[in-house]
Amino acid sequence: MILFGSAQAQEIPDEPGIYGFFPLLASRQRLGILGAPPYSDAILYNAKKALVRRIKRIQDVFTTKEMTGVVKRSGKGQDLAEAYSVSLINYNIDDIVSVAERIDYSSLPGLIDVLERTSLMIGPIYAGMTRLQTLAQRYRQHEADYHNSIKREVFSSRLKKSGLQWDDLIYGCVPISLSGSDIRTVERIMHMLLKSPLSNN
């Protein structure tokens, strides 16, 4: 997989393939820890607060799900079965905020470096494929939707709703020279296994 931040978008391949957007868990730059140590207490305090907000937002993307449907009573004929409309909201019982709030200031810069390097381990928040377009064209479409579109049922609108920003993403892609149907098969397998929360499939 080839990885790109928003600053390297011009290097994305002009080939079809499979791609995903991964959330950047943390980075010194994003959290305001710049330059060489030592860092002031104020800088570390603000960085820690920003880290807590960031990982909570990312956790919410992966754990907040809503489902609706109908439940019917078994053992009865179609006309006699009672049916109930149900709505389920998943929530996470893990208290990730308190874990992050217990971080010692002195270990914060090193911990942020590790979180940055392990960002891909939590999986993509969106996965897709492109057959007739290139990976670069598809990236630019998603980016344009994020900055300009008012469409409600696209990845960019779900991303905005999550509170994550475009430059919070890592774009990973794999150029593929398979047929269109084979690329679609790979995408379906990815969706079934990864269950990317901001994908529609």
Side-chain angles (χ1 to χ4, degrees):
M1 183 183 316
I2 313 168
L3 304 176
F4 303 92
S6 57
Q8 294 93 36
Q10 69 280 357
E11 300 170 25
I12 296 171
D14 280 314
E15 301 174 62
I18 302 290
Y19 65 92
F21 287 95
F22 299 79
L24 177 65
L25 289 176
S27 76
R28 292 192 189 201
Q29 180 183 15
R30 294 284 196 286
L31 300 179
I33 301 179
L34 304 174
Y39 305 108
S40 71
D41 288 347
I43 286 175
L44 294 175
Y45 174 82
N46 289 333
K48 182 174 173 178
K49 296 299 262 184
L51 175 63
V52 169
R53 286 191 304 271
R54 188 180 190 91
I55 61 176
K56 177 67 170 87
R57 194 171 290 137
I58 291 170
Q59 183 189 42
D60 287 346
V61 167
F62 280 94
T63 60
T64 304
K65 299 179 183 106
E66 296 182 31
M67 292 182 271
T68 59
V70 175
V71 177
K72 293 184 180 180
R73 184 175 176 186
S74 62
K76 294 279 188 179
Q78 182 70 21
D79 295 334
L80 300 175
E82 298 171 27
Y84 301 88
S85 175
V86 294
S87 177
L88 303 174
I89 299 176
N90 169 264
Y91 64 94
N92 198 303
I93 60 173
D94 297 335
D95 192 359
I96 198 168
V97 171
S98 68
V99 171
E101 286 177 341
R102 289 194 296 266
I103 297 169
D104 185 275
Y105 286 136
S106 63
S107 64
L108 189 61
L111 188 139
I112 289 170
D113 292 343
V114 171
L115 288 174
E116 180 176 14
R117 292 195 303 268
T118 58
S119 292
L120 298 186
M121 293 179 72
I122 64 172
I125 58 173
Y126 180 88
M129 52 79 70
T130 176
R131 292 173 293 166
L132 303 178
Q133 299 170 309
T134 69
L135 292 162
Q137 288 171 326
R138 198 69 186 105
Y139 176 91
R140 287 192 294 270
Q141 284 177 349
H142 284 301
E143 184 180 28
D145 282 346
Y146 178 82
H147 292 296
N148 306 317
S149 178
I150 56 173
K151 299 176 191 171
R152 295 188 183 272
E153 291 306 316
V154 295
F155 164 58
S156 61
S157 65
R158 296 188 292 274
L159 180 67
K160 285 180 181 178
K161 187 176 178 182
S162 77
L164 294 174
Q165 298 182 15
W166 189 255
D167 62 359
D168 288 329
L169 301 177
I170 301 165
Y171 183 71
C173 62
V174 180
I176 295 177
S177 58
L178 299 174
S179 69
S181 61
D182 288 338
I183 292 177
R184 173 66 73 183
T185 298
V186 174
E187 183 197 33
R188 290 188 65 200
I189 291 170
M190 284 178 54
H191 282 301
M192 290 174 181
L193 293 176
L194 297 174
K195 310 218 182 302
S196 308
L198 299 187
S199 290
N200 250 355
N201 298 349

